[in-house]
Short mmCIF file of all heavy atoms in Angstrom, two decimals:
data_model
loop_
_atom_site.label_atom_id
_atom_site.label_comp_id
_atom_site.label_asym_id
_atom_site.label_seq_id
_atom_site.Cartn_x
_atom_site.Cartn_y
_atom_site.Cartn_z
N MET A 71 0.85 -1.23 0.03
CA MET A 71 -0.03 0.03 0.07
C MET A 71 0.91 1.22 0.01
O MET A 71 1.79 1.34 0.82
CB MET A 71 -0.90 0.02 1.18
CG MET A 71 -1.88 1.10 1.23
SD MET A 71 -3.19 0.53 2.41
CE MET A 71 -3.94 1.94 2.82
N SER A 72 0.64 2.12 -0.85
CA SER A 72 1.36 3.35 -1.07
C SER A 72 0.77 4.52 -0.36
O SER A 72 -0.46 4.66 -0.28
CB SER A 72 1.57 3.62 -2.55
OG SER A 72 2.12 4.87 -2.73
N ASP A 73 1.63 5.40 0.19
CA ASP A 73 1.13 6.62 0.85
C ASP A 73 1.06 7.81 0.00
O ASP A 73 0.80 8.88 0.43
CB ASP A 73 1.99 6.91 2.12
CG ASP A 73 1.68 6.01 3.28
OD1 ASP A 73 0.94 5.05 3.10
OD2 ASP A 73 2.31 6.14 4.22
N THR A 74 1.48 7.64 -1.32
CA THR A 74 1.50 8.76 -2.26
C THR A 74 0.47 8.50 -3.43
O THR A 74 0.07 7.40 -3.69
CB THR A 74 2.88 8.86 -2.89
OG1 THR A 74 3.19 7.80 -3.62
CG2 THR A 74 3.86 9.21 -1.82
N GLN A 75 0.02 9.56 -3.91
CA GLN A 75 -0.90 9.55 -5.08
C GLN A 75 -0.11 9.80 -6.26
O GLN A 75 0.36 10.97 -6.46
CB GLN A 75 -2.01 10.58 -4.85
CG GLN A 75 -2.98 10.57 -6.06
CD GLN A 75 -4.18 11.54 -5.87
OE1 GLN A 75 -4.42 11.97 -4.76
NE2 GLN A 75 -4.72 11.91 -6.88
N ASN A 76 0.06 8.85 -7.20
CA ASN A 76 0.75 9.10 -8.45
C ASN A 76 -0.14 9.34 -9.67
O ASN A 76 0.44 9.60 -10.78
CB ASN A 76 1.71 7.93 -8.61
CG ASN A 76 2.66 7.77 -7.54
OD1 ASN A 76 3.22 8.79 -7.08
ND2 ASN A 76 3.03 6.56 -7.15
N GLU A 77 -1.42 9.13 -9.49
CA GLU A 77 -2.27 9.29 -10.65
C GLU A 77 -3.43 10.31 -10.17
O GLU A 77 -3.74 10.50 -9.06
CB GLU A 77 -2.96 7.89 -10.85
CG GLU A 77 -2.05 6.81 -11.01
CD GLU A 77 -1.93 6.30 -12.46
OE1 GLU A 77 -2.95 6.59 -13.23
OE2 GLU A 77 -1.02 5.53 -12.78
N PRO A 78 -4.04 10.95 -11.18
CA PRO A 78 -5.18 11.86 -10.90
C PRO A 78 -6.29 11.13 -10.23
O PRO A 78 -6.51 10.06 -10.58
CB PRO A 78 -5.53 12.46 -12.20
CG PRO A 78 -4.69 11.89 -13.21
CD PRO A 78 -3.73 10.84 -12.61
N MET A 79 -6.88 11.85 -9.37
CA MET A 79 -8.08 11.32 -8.65
C MET A 79 -9.30 11.35 -9.76
O MET A 79 -9.49 12.38 -10.15
CB MET A 79 -8.51 11.99 -7.51
CG MET A 79 -7.57 11.84 -6.26
SD MET A 79 -8.01 12.74 -4.83
CE MET A 79 -9.60 12.02 -4.42
N GLN A 80 -9.97 10.27 -9.91
CA GLN A 80 -11.06 10.26 -10.89
C GLN A 80 -12.38 10.42 -10.05
O GLN A 80 -12.49 9.89 -9.06
CB GLN A 80 -11.08 8.88 -11.56
CG GLN A 80 -9.89 8.63 -12.39
CD GLN A 80 -9.70 9.60 -13.57
OE1 GLN A 80 -10.70 9.99 -14.17
NE2 GLN A 80 -8.51 10.04 -13.73
N ASP A 81 -13.25 11.18 -10.56
CA ASP A 81 -14.55 11.40 -10.06
C ASP A 81 -14.50 12.04 -8.61
O ASP A 81 -15.30 11.53 -7.74
CB ASP A 81 -15.43 10.23 -9.96
CG ASP A 81 -15.68 9.65 -11.46
OD1 ASP A 81 -15.80 10.56 -12.34
OD2 ASP A 81 -15.67 8.45 -11.63
N SER A 82 -13.46 12.81 -8.32
CA SER A 82 -13.38 13.34 -6.95
C SER A 82 -14.41 14.49 -6.80
O SER A 82 -14.75 14.71 -5.61
CB SER A 82 -11.96 13.89 -6.66
OG SER A 82 -11.66 14.96 -7.61
N ASN A 83 -14.81 15.06 -7.81
CA ASN A 83 -15.95 16.08 -7.72
C ASN A 83 -17.03 15.75 -8.68
O ASN A 83 -17.05 16.18 -9.82
CB ASN A 83 -15.30 17.40 -8.02
CG ASN A 83 -16.41 18.50 -7.76
OD1 ASN A 83 -17.49 18.21 -7.34
ND2 ASN A 83 -16.02 19.73 -8.14
N ASN A 84 -17.90 14.88 -8.28
CA ASN A 84 -18.96 14.40 -9.24
C ASN A 84 -20.24 15.03 -8.88
O ASN A 84 -21.31 14.41 -9.14
CB ASN A 84 -19.00 12.84 -9.13
CG ASN A 84 -19.13 12.27 -7.76
OD1 ASN A 84 -19.32 13.02 -6.82
ND2 ASN A 84 -19.12 10.99 -7.61
N ALA A 85 -20.32 16.23 -8.56
CA ALA A 85 -21.50 16.92 -8.42
C ALA A 85 -22.16 17.22 -9.74
O ALA A 85 -21.52 17.52 -10.71
CB ALA A 85 -21.27 18.25 -7.66
N SER A 86 -23.48 17.06 -9.83
CA SER A 86 -24.12 17.30 -11.07
C SER A 86 -24.19 18.79 -11.38
O SER A 86 -24.03 19.63 -10.44
CB SER A 86 -25.55 16.71 -11.03
OG SER A 86 -26.33 17.54 -10.10
N ASN A 87 -24.42 19.11 -12.58
CA ASN A 87 -24.58 20.57 -12.96
C ASN A 87 -25.71 21.23 -12.16
O ASN A 87 -25.60 22.36 -11.77
CB ASN A 87 -24.83 20.78 -14.43
CG ASN A 87 -23.51 20.84 -15.23
OD1 ASN A 87 -22.41 20.95 -14.67
ND2 ASN A 87 -23.63 20.63 -16.52
N SER A 88 -26.83 20.45 -11.87
CA SER A 88 -27.89 21.07 -11.14
C SER A 88 -27.48 21.34 -9.71
O SER A 88 -27.84 22.39 -9.12
CB SER A 88 -29.13 20.27 -11.18
OG SER A 88 -28.87 18.96 -10.71
N ASP A 89 -26.68 20.40 -9.15
CA ASP A 89 -26.08 20.64 -7.79
C ASP A 89 -25.12 21.82 -7.74
O ASP A 89 -25.19 22.73 -6.82
CB ASP A 89 -25.35 19.43 -7.21
CG ASP A 89 -26.28 18.28 -6.95
OD1 ASP A 89 -27.52 18.48 -6.79
OD2 ASP A 89 -25.74 17.11 -6.89
N ARG A 90 -24.32 21.96 -8.82
CA ARG A 90 -23.35 23.10 -8.89
C ARG A 90 -24.13 24.36 -9.09
O ARG A 90 -23.81 25.36 -8.51
CB ARG A 90 -22.36 22.86 -9.99
CG ARG A 90 -21.42 21.75 -9.74
CD ARG A 90 -20.59 21.27 -10.89
NE ARG A 90 -19.89 22.37 -11.50
CZ ARG A 90 -19.58 22.41 -12.78
NH1 ARG A 90 -19.88 21.50 -13.56
NH2 ARG A 90 -18.95 23.45 -13.23
N LEU A 91 -25.15 24.33 -9.96
CA LEU A 91 -26.02 25.57 -10.16
C LEU A 91 -26.73 26.03 -8.75
O LEU A 91 -26.68 27.15 -8.51
CB LEU A 91 -26.98 25.30 -11.27
CG LEU A 91 -27.85 26.50 -11.65
CD1 LEU A 91 -27.03 27.70 -12.06
CD2 LEU A 91 -28.80 26.12 -12.74
N ALA A 92 -27.22 25.01 -8.11
CA ALA A 92 -27.85 25.34 -6.79
C ALA A 92 -26.85 26.02 -5.83
O ALA A 92 -27.12 26.92 -5.13
CB ALA A 92 -28.45 24.14 -6.20
N GLY A 93 -25.59 25.53 -5.92
CA GLY A 93 -24.53 26.11 -5.02
C GLY A 93 -24.26 27.55 -5.51
O GLY A 93 -24.08 28.43 -4.64
N ILE A 94 -24.13 27.76 -6.75
CA ILE A 94 -23.91 29.15 -7.25
C ILE A 94 -25.06 30.09 -6.87
O ILE A 94 -24.85 31.19 -6.48
CB ILE A 94 -23.65 29.11 -8.78
CG1 ILE A 94 -22.36 28.36 -9.05
CG2 ILE A 94 -23.81 30.50 -9.38
CD1 ILE A 94 -22.14 28.13 -10.49
N ILE A 95 -26.22 29.56 -6.99
CA ILE A 95 -27.44 30.37 -6.61
C ILE A 95 -27.31 30.80 -5.14
O ILE A 95 -27.54 31.97 -4.79
CB ILE A 95 -28.84 29.73 -6.94
CG1 ILE A 95 -28.90 29.58 -8.50
CG2 ILE A 95 -30.00 30.31 -6.28
CD1 ILE A 95 -30.14 28.60 -8.86
N GLY A 96 -26.94 29.88 -4.37
CA GLY A 96 -26.79 30.13 -2.85
C GLY A 96 -25.63 31.16 -2.62
O GLY A 96 -25.80 32.06 -1.81
N GLN A 97 -24.57 31.03 -3.43
CA GLN A 97 -23.42 31.97 -3.27
C GLN A 97 -23.89 33.39 -3.66
O GLN A 97 -23.48 34.39 -2.92
CB GLN A 97 -22.23 31.53 -4.14
CG GLN A 97 -21.54 30.33 -3.66
CD GLN A 97 -20.60 29.83 -4.60
OE1 GLN A 97 -20.51 30.20 -5.83
NE2 GLN A 97 -19.57 28.94 -4.17
N VAL A 98 -24.57 33.50 -4.73
CA VAL A 98 -24.96 34.82 -5.22
C VAL A 98 -25.95 35.39 -4.27
O VAL A 98 -25.91 36.63 -3.87
CB VAL A 98 -25.52 34.75 -6.69
CG1 VAL A 98 -26.14 36.06 -7.12
CG2 VAL A 98 -24.48 34.27 -7.61
N LYS A 99 -26.99 34.63 -3.76
CA LYS A 99 -27.89 35.16 -2.76
C LYS A 99 -27.14 35.61 -1.49
O LYS A 99 -27.49 36.66 -0.95
CB LYS A 99 -28.89 34.04 -2.44
CG LYS A 99 -29.98 33.86 -3.45
CD LYS A 99 -30.93 32.87 -2.94
CE LYS A 99 -32.16 32.74 -3.95
NZ LYS A 99 -33.23 31.87 -3.45
N ALA A 100 -26.13 34.88 -1.10
CA ALA A 100 -25.36 35.27 0.13
C ALA A 100 -24.60 36.66 -0.17
O ALA A 100 -24.59 37.50 0.71
CB ALA A 100 -24.33 34.14 0.46
N ASP A 101 -24.06 36.74 -1.42
CA ASP A 101 -23.40 37.96 -1.80
C ASP A 101 -24.34 39.15 -1.73
O ASP A 101 -24.03 40.28 -1.23
CB ASP A 101 -22.74 37.88 -3.16
CG ASP A 101 -21.57 36.95 -3.26
OD1 ASP A 101 -20.92 36.71 -2.16
OD2 ASP A 101 -21.30 36.54 -4.38
N ILE A 102 -25.51 38.91 -2.26
CA ILE A 102 -26.54 40.03 -2.28
C ILE A 102 -26.93 40.41 -0.81
O ILE A 102 -27.11 41.56 -0.50
CB ILE A 102 -27.84 39.58 -3.09
CG1 ILE A 102 -27.43 39.37 -4.53
CG2 ILE A 102 -29.02 40.48 -2.87
CD1 ILE A 102 -28.47 38.76 -5.32
N SER A 103 -27.07 39.38 0.04
CA SER A 103 -27.51 39.64 1.44
C SER A 103 -26.44 40.34 2.16
O SER A 103 -26.75 40.98 3.23
CB SER A 103 -27.91 38.31 2.15
OG SER A 103 -26.74 37.52 2.42
N LEU A 104 -25.21 40.24 1.75
CA LEU A 104 -24.12 40.98 2.42
C LEU A 104 -23.90 42.30 1.71
O LEU A 104 -22.85 42.89 1.87
CB LEU A 104 -22.86 40.13 2.30
CG LEU A 104 -22.80 38.84 3.00
CD1 LEU A 104 -21.52 38.09 2.67
CD2 LEU A 104 -22.83 39.07 4.51
N ASN A 105 -24.99 42.88 1.11
CA ASN A 105 -24.99 44.17 0.53
C ASN A 105 -23.97 44.31 -0.62
O ASN A 105 -23.28 45.33 -0.69
CB ASN A 105 -24.85 45.19 1.62
CG ASN A 105 -25.88 45.23 2.59
OD1 ASN A 105 -27.04 45.09 2.25
ND2 ASN A 105 -25.52 45.50 3.91
N HIS A 106 -23.91 43.36 -1.41
CA HIS A 106 -23.02 43.35 -2.62
C HIS A 106 -23.45 44.53 -3.42
O HIS A 106 -24.62 44.67 -3.76
CB HIS A 106 -23.18 42.03 -3.44
CG HIS A 106 -22.46 42.09 -4.73
ND1 HIS A 106 -21.08 42.15 -4.87
CD2 HIS A 106 -23.03 42.20 -6.00
CE1 HIS A 106 -20.86 42.19 -6.10
NE2 HIS A 106 -21.92 42.21 -6.80
N ASP A 107 -22.62 45.45 -3.73
CA ASP A 107 -22.96 46.63 -4.45
C ASP A 107 -22.90 46.54 -6.01
O ASP A 107 -23.29 47.41 -6.65
CB ASP A 107 -21.97 47.82 -4.07
CG ASP A 107 -22.20 48.23 -2.65
OD1 ASP A 107 -23.31 48.09 -2.09
OD2 ASP A 107 -21.20 48.67 -2.01
N GLY A 108 -22.47 45.37 -6.43
CA GLY A 108 -22.42 45.12 -7.99
C GLY A 108 -23.69 44.74 -8.52
O GLY A 108 -24.70 44.63 -7.89
N ASP A 109 -23.69 44.63 -9.82
CA ASP A 109 -24.86 44.21 -10.66
C ASP A 109 -25.06 42.67 -10.46
O ASP A 109 -24.13 41.87 -10.72
CB ASP A 109 -24.58 44.51 -12.11
CG ASP A 109 -25.69 44.11 -13.02
OD1 ASP A 109 -26.62 43.56 -12.61
OD2 ASP A 109 -25.60 44.64 -14.25
N THR A 110 -26.23 42.25 -10.08
CA THR A 110 -26.47 40.92 -9.75
C THR A 110 -26.33 40.04 -11.13
O THR A 110 -25.74 38.95 -11.03
CB THR A 110 -27.91 40.62 -9.19
OG1 THR A 110 -28.00 41.47 -8.08
CG2 THR A 110 -28.23 39.27 -8.92
N ARG A 111 -26.72 40.57 -12.22
CA ARG A 111 -26.63 39.94 -13.45
C ARG A 111 -25.16 39.54 -13.77
O ARG A 111 -24.71 38.50 -14.15
CB ARG A 111 -27.16 40.72 -14.61
CG ARG A 111 -26.93 40.13 -15.97
CD ARG A 111 -27.61 41.03 -17.05
NE ARG A 111 -29.07 40.98 -16.95
CZ ARG A 111 -29.81 40.12 -17.52
NH1 ARG A 111 -29.39 39.08 -18.18
NH2 ARG A 111 -31.16 40.15 -17.35
N VAL A 112 -24.22 40.57 -13.54
CA VAL A 112 -22.87 40.41 -13.78
C VAL A 112 -22.22 39.49 -12.77
O VAL A 112 -21.44 38.65 -13.20
CB VAL A 112 -22.09 41.80 -13.77
CG1 VAL A 112 -20.61 41.63 -13.86
CG2 VAL A 112 -22.59 42.68 -14.88
N LEU A 113 -22.66 39.51 -11.50
CA LEU A 113 -22.14 38.56 -10.55
C LEU A 113 -22.55 37.17 -10.90
O LEU A 113 -21.69 36.22 -10.83
CB LEU A 113 -22.74 39.00 -9.22
CG LEU A 113 -22.31 38.12 -7.98
CD1 LEU A 113 -20.79 38.14 -7.80
CD2 LEU A 113 -23.02 38.60 -6.74
N LEU A 114 -23.73 36.96 -11.27
CA LEU A 114 -24.23 35.60 -11.69
C LEU A 114 -23.47 35.15 -12.90
O LEU A 114 -23.01 33.93 -12.93
CB LEU A 114 -25.69 35.60 -11.96
CG LEU A 114 -26.25 34.27 -12.39
CD1 LEU A 114 -25.99 33.21 -11.31
CD2 LEU A 114 -27.74 34.41 -12.60
N GLU A 115 -23.28 35.97 -13.92
CA GLU A 115 -22.48 35.58 -15.08
C GLU A 115 -21.12 35.19 -14.73
O GLU A 115 -20.65 34.15 -15.32
CB GLU A 115 -22.48 36.76 -16.05
CG GLU A 115 -23.78 37.05 -16.83
CD GLU A 115 -23.73 38.32 -17.64
OE1 GLU A 115 -22.91 39.15 -17.48
OE2 GLU A 115 -24.69 38.40 -18.44
N GLN A 116 -20.49 35.97 -13.88
CA GLN A 116 -19.12 35.61 -13.47
C GLN A 116 -19.02 34.26 -12.74
O GLN A 116 -18.07 33.44 -12.99
CB GLN A 116 -18.53 36.72 -12.52
CG GLN A 116 -17.00 36.55 -12.26
CD GLN A 116 -16.10 36.51 -13.51
OE1 GLN A 116 -16.30 37.42 -14.35
NE2 GLN A 116 -15.35 35.54 -13.60
N ARG A 117 -19.89 34.11 -11.83
CA ARG A 117 -19.90 32.76 -11.01
C ARG A 117 -20.13 31.65 -11.97
O ARG A 117 -19.47 30.62 -11.88
CB ARG A 117 -20.99 32.80 -9.95
CG ARG A 117 -20.82 33.76 -8.87
CD ARG A 117 -20.12 33.09 -7.70
NE ARG A 117 -20.15 33.96 -6.53
CZ ARG A 117 -19.34 33.83 -5.56
NH1 ARG A 117 -18.64 32.75 -5.42
NH2 ARG A 117 -19.45 34.67 -4.47
N LEU A 118 -21.06 31.75 -12.92
CA LEU A 118 -21.34 30.60 -13.88
C LEU A 118 -20.09 30.45 -14.78
O LEU A 118 -19.69 29.25 -15.04
CB LEU A 118 -22.50 30.97 -14.79
CG LEU A 118 -23.84 31.01 -14.02
CD1 LEU A 118 -24.97 31.55 -14.95
CD2 LEU A 118 -24.16 29.57 -13.53
N HIS A 119 -19.47 31.47 -15.19
CA HIS A 119 -18.25 31.44 -16.03
C HIS A 119 -17.13 30.73 -15.31
O HIS A 119 -16.51 29.80 -15.83
CB HIS A 119 -17.83 32.82 -16.49
CG HIS A 119 -16.55 32.79 -17.27
ND1 HIS A 119 -16.41 32.40 -18.51
CD2 HIS A 119 -15.29 33.12 -16.84
CE1 HIS A 119 -15.12 32.41 -18.87
NE2 HIS A 119 -14.37 32.94 -17.85
N ASP A 120 -16.90 31.06 -14.09
CA ASP A 120 -15.89 30.48 -13.23
C ASP A 120 -16.06 28.99 -13.01
O ASP A 120 -15.17 28.24 -12.92
CB ASP A 120 -15.74 31.16 -11.85
CG ASP A 120 -15.23 32.62 -12.00
OD1 ASP A 120 -14.69 33.04 -12.99
OD2 ASP A 120 -15.36 33.33 -10.97
N ALA A 121 -17.35 28.64 -12.99
CA ALA A 121 -17.72 27.20 -12.67
C ALA A 121 -17.82 26.40 -14.04
O ALA A 121 -17.92 25.16 -13.99
CB ALA A 121 -19.08 27.10 -11.99
N GLY A 122 -17.73 27.10 -15.14
CA GLY A 122 -17.84 26.40 -16.45
C GLY A 122 -19.28 25.91 -16.81
O GLY A 122 -19.33 24.92 -17.51
N ILE A 123 -20.16 26.63 -16.24
CA ILE A 123 -21.55 26.27 -16.53
C ILE A 123 -22.11 27.19 -17.53
O ILE A 123 -22.07 28.38 -17.42
CB ILE A 123 -22.39 26.24 -15.28
CG1 ILE A 123 -21.90 25.20 -14.23
CG2 ILE A 123 -23.76 26.07 -15.57
CD1 ILE A 123 -22.53 25.29 -12.88
N GLU A 124 -22.68 26.62 -18.64
CA GLU A 124 -23.28 27.52 -19.66
C GLU A 124 -24.74 27.27 -19.61
O GLU A 124 -25.28 26.10 -19.57
CB GLU A 124 -22.77 27.07 -21.05
CG GLU A 124 -21.31 27.39 -21.23
CD GLU A 124 -20.79 27.15 -22.65
OE1 GLU A 124 -21.59 27.21 -23.61
OE2 GLU A 124 -19.57 26.96 -22.75
N LEU A 125 -25.48 28.28 -19.66
CA LEU A 125 -26.98 28.29 -19.58
C LEU A 125 -27.51 28.94 -20.86
O LEU A 125 -26.88 29.91 -21.41
CB LEU A 125 -27.62 28.99 -18.43
CG LEU A 125 -27.17 28.48 -16.98
CD1 LEU A 125 -27.85 29.39 -15.94
CD2 LEU A 125 -27.66 26.98 -16.83
N SER A 126 -28.70 28.47 -21.33
CA SER A 126 -29.32 29.14 -22.45
C SER A 126 -29.79 30.57 -21.91
O SER A 126 -29.90 30.75 -20.72
CB SER A 126 -30.48 28.33 -22.94
OG SER A 126 -31.49 28.37 -21.95
N PRO A 127 -30.03 31.46 -22.80
CA PRO A 127 -30.55 32.75 -22.31
C PRO A 127 -31.87 32.64 -21.48
O PRO A 127 -31.92 33.29 -20.45
CB PRO A 127 -30.87 33.48 -23.60
CG PRO A 127 -29.93 32.96 -24.63
CD PRO A 127 -29.77 31.48 -24.22
N ALA A 128 -32.68 31.75 -21.85
CA ALA A 128 -33.95 31.52 -21.03
C ALA A 128 -33.60 30.96 -19.64
O ALA A 128 -34.20 31.32 -18.67
CB ALA A 128 -34.88 30.66 -21.81
N GLU A 129 -32.65 29.99 -19.59
CA GLU A 129 -32.28 29.37 -18.32
C GLU A 129 -31.64 30.41 -17.47
O GLU A 129 -31.85 30.43 -16.26
CB GLU A 129 -31.37 28.17 -18.55
CG GLU A 129 -31.97 26.96 -19.20
CD GLU A 129 -30.94 25.86 -19.61
OE1 GLU A 129 -29.87 26.30 -20.07
OE2 GLU A 129 -31.28 24.74 -19.41
N PHE A 130 -30.81 31.22 -18.14
CA PHE A 130 -30.05 32.33 -17.36
C PHE A 130 -31.04 33.26 -16.68
O PHE A 130 -31.02 33.62 -15.50
CB PHE A 130 -29.12 33.10 -18.23
CG PHE A 130 -28.39 34.19 -17.48
CD1 PHE A 130 -27.27 33.90 -16.70
CD2 PHE A 130 -28.94 35.45 -17.50
CE1 PHE A 130 -26.67 34.84 -16.01
CE2 PHE A 130 -28.28 36.47 -16.71
CZ PHE A 130 -27.06 36.17 -15.99
N GLU A 131 -32.14 33.66 -17.45
CA GLU A 131 -33.05 34.58 -16.96
C GLU A 131 -33.91 33.99 -15.84
O GLU A 131 -34.26 34.62 -14.86
CB GLU A 131 -34.00 35.04 -18.12
CG GLU A 131 -33.38 35.95 -19.12
CD GLU A 131 -32.77 37.22 -18.52
OE1 GLU A 131 -33.29 37.81 -17.55
OE2 GLU A 131 -31.64 37.57 -18.99
N LEU A 132 -34.23 32.74 -15.93
CA LEU A 132 -34.95 31.98 -14.85
C LEU A 132 -34.08 31.88 -13.60
O LEU A 132 -34.53 32.09 -12.48
CB LEU A 132 -35.34 30.58 -15.30
CG LEU A 132 -36.49 30.45 -16.27
CD1 LEU A 132 -36.61 29.06 -16.76
CD2 LEU A 132 -37.75 30.92 -15.65
N THR A 133 -32.76 31.62 -13.79
CA THR A 133 -31.87 31.58 -12.68
C THR A 133 -31.69 32.93 -12.04
O THR A 133 -31.63 33.07 -10.78
CB THR A 133 -30.45 31.04 -13.15
OG1 THR A 133 -30.66 29.75 -13.79
CG2 THR A 133 -29.53 30.88 -11.97
N LEU A 134 -31.58 33.94 -12.81
CA LEU A 134 -31.50 35.35 -12.35
C LEU A 134 -32.64 35.69 -11.50
O LEU A 134 -32.57 36.32 -10.52
CB LEU A 134 -31.29 36.29 -13.49
CG LEU A 134 -31.02 37.79 -13.12
CD1 LEU A 134 -29.74 37.91 -12.29
CD2 LEU A 134 -30.96 38.61 -14.38
N ALA A 135 -33.84 35.36 -12.01
CA ALA A 135 -35.07 35.61 -11.24
C ALA A 135 -35.07 34.87 -9.91
O ALA A 135 -35.52 35.37 -8.92
CB ALA A 135 -36.29 35.12 -12.02
N GLU A 136 -34.55 33.58 -9.84
CA GLU A 136 -34.54 32.84 -8.68
C GLU A 136 -33.58 33.44 -7.63
O GLU A 136 -33.79 33.57 -6.45
CB GLU A 136 -34.09 31.38 -8.98
CG GLU A 136 -34.07 30.52 -7.77
CD GLU A 136 -33.78 29.11 -8.07
OE1 GLU A 136 -33.82 28.68 -9.26
OE2 GLU A 136 -33.50 28.32 -7.12
N VAL A 137 -32.40 33.96 -8.15
CA VAL A 137 -31.43 34.72 -7.28
C VAL A 137 -31.97 35.92 -6.70
O VAL A 137 -31.74 36.31 -5.65
CB VAL A 137 -30.15 35.00 -8.11
CG1 VAL A 137 -29.25 35.96 -7.38
CG2 VAL A 137 -29.38 33.69 -8.41
N SER A 138 -32.81 36.57 -7.47
CA SER A 138 -33.35 37.90 -7.01
C SER A 138 -34.47 37.85 -6.10
O SER A 138 -34.92 38.79 -5.59
CB SER A 138 -33.73 38.72 -8.29
OG SER A 138 -32.65 38.96 -9.12
N ASP A 139 -35.02 36.55 -6.00
CA ASP A 139 -36.27 36.33 -5.06
C ASP A 139 -35.91 36.57 -3.63
O ASP A 139 -34.84 36.23 -3.14
CB ASP A 139 -36.89 34.98 -5.21
CG ASP A 139 -37.67 34.91 -6.46
OD1 ASP A 139 -38.02 35.98 -7.02
OD2 ASP A 139 -37.97 33.77 -6.92
#
């Protein structure tokens, strides 16, 4: 048994896109509640970009509405 990792870990982060999106929604809501002074649309776009999640324009608008609730 070896104490070192010589190969990449497979499936170490196997969260679904819907789970990741839910996490981003939570993060953006938290930012807003902390009196984030920026544009919520831009903040959401940046979080999605950083996570590598692409949404259709309709999905983005629905997500933005959810964040803004």
Side-chain angles (χ1 to χ4, degrees):
M71 186 163 162
S72 173
D73 287 359
T74 61
Q75 178 181 340
N76 297 324
E77 309 247 345
M79 290 180 62
Q80 299 296 319
D81 299 326
S82 62
N83 185 5
N84 52 3
S86 70
N87 274 349
S88 61
D89 290 340
R90 292 172 50 213
L91 183 57
I94 289 170
I95 290 169
Q97 290 173 341
V98 173
K99 283 183 174 186
D101 290 342
I102 293 168
S103 72
L104 294 172
N105 298 321
H106 173 71
D107 292 331
D109 183 351
T110 302
R111 176 178 292 274
V112 172
L113 180 60
L114 179 58
E115 287 172 344
Q116 185 62 48
R117 293 266 190 194
L118 292 169
H119 174 77
D120 291 348
I123 296 175
E124 294 184 26
L125 300 177
S126 71
E129 291 171 321
F130 180 84
E131 292 302 322
L132 287 172
T133 304
L134 183 61
E136 186 174 346
V137 166
S138 300
D139 284 343

